[in-house]
Amino acid sequence: MTDIAAQRAKSGRRPGQSGTRERILAVARTRFAGSGFDKTSVRSVAADAGVDSALVHHYFGTKRELFVAAIELPIDPGIILQPVLAADTNVLGEALITAVMNVWESDQGEAVVAAFRSLIVEGDTTLIGSFLMEVVLREIAARVDEPPGSAPERFTLVATQMSGLLLTRYILKLEPIASMPQARVIASIGPTLQRYLTGPLPAMN
């Protein structure tokens, strides 16, 4: 859960409503897994949970905060993305891998990795895809959509690299990548992400 969502829950919880909050989270997780981030609305989650949408906002704030709480991430992606959004387009790859690795290597990193490991074990891979494609990467879509319509392909390529690094370094812990200095990993992967984001794409046959 994000710090923001946790604060909302702590300050806004009403007596006897903890079960309602957990029901909303369970419904949201199912909705996000089945329909993705874009096609899931706070209103639809509220309807499935049998509550008013205002109560969902009361507990979780925005739809993105609800999503983060549903997949049990301990940090708000908006905070992670601030340096990425501020970076020049020609260094987006390095900024992205640096921002993400700073989280993975932080005190909260173990909890983040555990959340993704749980999603993989439980088979909720759609939620991982939604997080990467619709929560993290969509913020920079307009900056890399060249030629027009290419952003989804670019983001999928980025996702292969990011998920591969998460798997090999933090879950499988394959050497030498598992113990490689962070700066070396960034120097190795950053240019590849940059090529995926802004480089030429192969011509369609």
Side-chain angles (χ1 to χ4, degrees):
M1 182 191 306
T2 67
D3 293 338
I4 294 173
Q7 291 168 4
R8 288 181 185 276
K10 184 177 180 180
S11 63
R13 182 173 294 170
R14 303 169 184 174
Q17 291 300 308
S18 60
T20 300
R21 184 178 180 280
E22 294 309 312
R23 185 168 72 253
I24 292 170
L25 278 178
V27 167
R29 186 181 179 113
T30 299
R31 271 277 180 175
F32 284 126
S35 303
F37 184 84
D38 272 348
K39 294 181 180 179
T40 297
S41 66
V42 170
R43 186 183 299 274
S44 67
V45 171
D48 286 356
V51 300
D52 190 273
S53 58
L55 186 61
V56 179
H57 287 296
H58 170 76
Y59 280 130
F60 303 103
T62 66
K63 183 171 75 166
R64 183 163 71 177
E65 289 174 325
L66 175 62
F67 180 85
V68 171
I71 65 175
E72 300 180 341
L73 281 183
I75 190 169
D76 187 344
I79 297 173
I80 303 171
L81 290 172
Q82 287 176 1
V84 180
L85 299 180
D88 291 338
T89 302
N90 62 349
V91 292
L92 275 177
E94 179 182 345
L96 181 59
I97 188 61
T98 299
V100 173
M101 286 199 72
N102 281 345
V103 175
W104 288 343
E105 305 281 332
S106 71
D107 292 340
Q108 295 174 309
E110 185 174 341
V112 174
V113 174
F116 279 99
R117 183 187 293 114
S118 175
L119 292 176
I120 292 171
V121 170
E122 294 172 11
D124 289 335
T125 53
T126 301
L127 290 173
I128 299 177
S130 292
F131 176 75
L132 290 173
M133 301 290 288
E134 300 172 11
V135 177
V136 175
L137 296 175
R138 70 179 299 160
E139 299 280 354
I140 58 174
R143 298 169 62 182
V144 301
D145 194 34
E146 183 59 43
S150 65
E153 179 178 351
R154 293 183 182 280
F155 288 169
T156 303
L157 290 170
V158 169
T160 66
Q161 196 75 25
M162 300 294 289
S163 58
L165 177 62
L166 173 67
L167 181 65
T168 56
R169 183 175 173 91
Y170 301 100
I171 297 178
L172 297 180
K173 297 184 178 181
L174 298 181
E175 295 292 355
I177 194 71
S179 58
M180 187 177 292
Q182 181 178 344
R184 184 173 177 83
V185 177
I186 291 171
S188 299
I189 293 179
T192 300
L193 296 187
Q194 188 66 41
R195 177 169 60 85
Y196 288 158
L197 289 168
T198 60
L201 295 172
M204 298 291 291
N205 293 328

